[in-house]
Amino acid sequence: LAAPNPGGAMHSWLAQLASAQIDQDDLAVTALALGLAPLLPYRLEGWGEQLPDARAQAKLNFARQAETARQTARRAQLAEALARLPVPPVVLKGAYLAECVYPAPGLRPMNDIDLLFRPEDLPAVAVALSELGYGAKDKSPELGPGITKHTSTFQRPEAGAATPNPYLSASGSRMIEPHRSLEEAWFGLKCDLTPGMLARSRPIQIAGCPALAL
């Protein structure tokens, strides 16, 4: 965690790596599991360094290359959707952060594309996504914790996909989740963060298209 920290220092990090006798292959696998594998080689590259263990460094490099390819595909998919949607959505979570916060492509792993709409806009959104070839998978709001962040997910059918795991495949389109709220539930406590979010949102350009940000 010290290496991806923007305030991290190269010499102290490398010294800690050596003095603690860290298994570098285990470090690479742990970075993969935590979603930090793309960010770690980016930081090392900025320091002009590599892990002494070439195999561990190769794992990190591959993770970054694969995530960069995935982000390129997601960005094109997001641009296509934004251009067709009837209203600009609030782009949430990874789709926003990867484009507008992280300093280089492929540093913020993500899976789904999360977008926030007003509930009354969702029927027209569903039509637009259907016209782009997405199929809808609906779920009851009564399932799980009983909240209604989104009741449908949209994904294009993919025949012969190499792997069902979107985190491991650099090809294929990602699921789009049109959110109607930012409600959360933990251990019986429900909290709806949605009121005022759209009113306070601000216009941005993302993937070359107009959108909104929190």
Side-chain angles (χ1 to χ4, degrees):
L1 293 175
N5 187 328
M10 174 186 70
H11 297 297
S12 62
W13 189 83
L14 291 173
Q16 184 182 9
L17 191 71
S19 65
Q21 297 183 326
I22 298 296
D23 183 319
Q24 294 173 36
D25 194 62
D26 184 59
L27 175 70
V29 171
T30 301
L32 282 162
L34 295 176
L36 295 173
L39 197 54
L40 182 51
Y42 172 80
R43 180 65 61 197
L44 291 169
E45 183 182 282
W47 287 340
E49 292 287 344
Q50 291 195 347
L51 290 178
D53 185 327
R55 179 178 175 178
Q57 181 68 46
K59 288 181 180 179
L60 295 176
N61 290 344
F62 176 80
R64 184 181 175 194
Q65 292 164 7
E67 189 56 42
T68 299
R70 281 192 287 267
Q71 185 173 332
T72 299
R74 281 194 304 266
R75 191 176 193 271
Q77 182 185 358
L78 178 59
E80 179 190 46
L82 290 175
R84 183 66 69 90
L85 291 171
V87 293
V90 176
V91 181
L92 300 171
K93 299 161 60 176
Y96 169 77
L97 295 171
E99 177 92 4
C100 300
V101 174
Y102 281 76
L107 298 184
R108 206 292 191 177
M110 55 174 285
N111 182 14
D112 303 336
I113 296 173
D114 296 281
L115 307 173
L116 176 65
F117 298 89
R118 290 180 173 84
E120 59 267 27
D121 292 326
L122 289 174
V125 169
V127 170
L129 291 175
S130 176
E131 291 173 348
L132 287 172
Y134 289 85
K137 182 178 181 180
D138 301 324
K139 71 171 185 178
S140 168
E142 303 305 318
L143 295 176
I147 59 176
T148 54
K149 286 193 292 188
H150 57 83
T151 56
S152 299
T153 57
F154 292 81
Q155 191 167 25
R156 286 188 174 117
E158 293 182 287
T163 170
N165 189 331
Y167 289 101
L168 301 179
S169 174
S171 63
S173 63
R174 304 309 184 196
M175 194 178 297
I176 294 180
E177 294 188 343
H179 287 243
R180 59 185 295 136
S181 82
L182 301 177
E183 186 179 17
E184 288 290 356
W186 308 272
F187 305 105
L189 173 67
K190 290 186 180 181
C191 179
D192 190 356
L193 310 176
T194 317
M197 288 292 187
L198 280 161
R200 294 192 299 272
S201 63
R202 57 187 178 84
I204 59 168
Q205 287 280 320
I206 191 164
C209 299
L212 299 172
L214 294 177

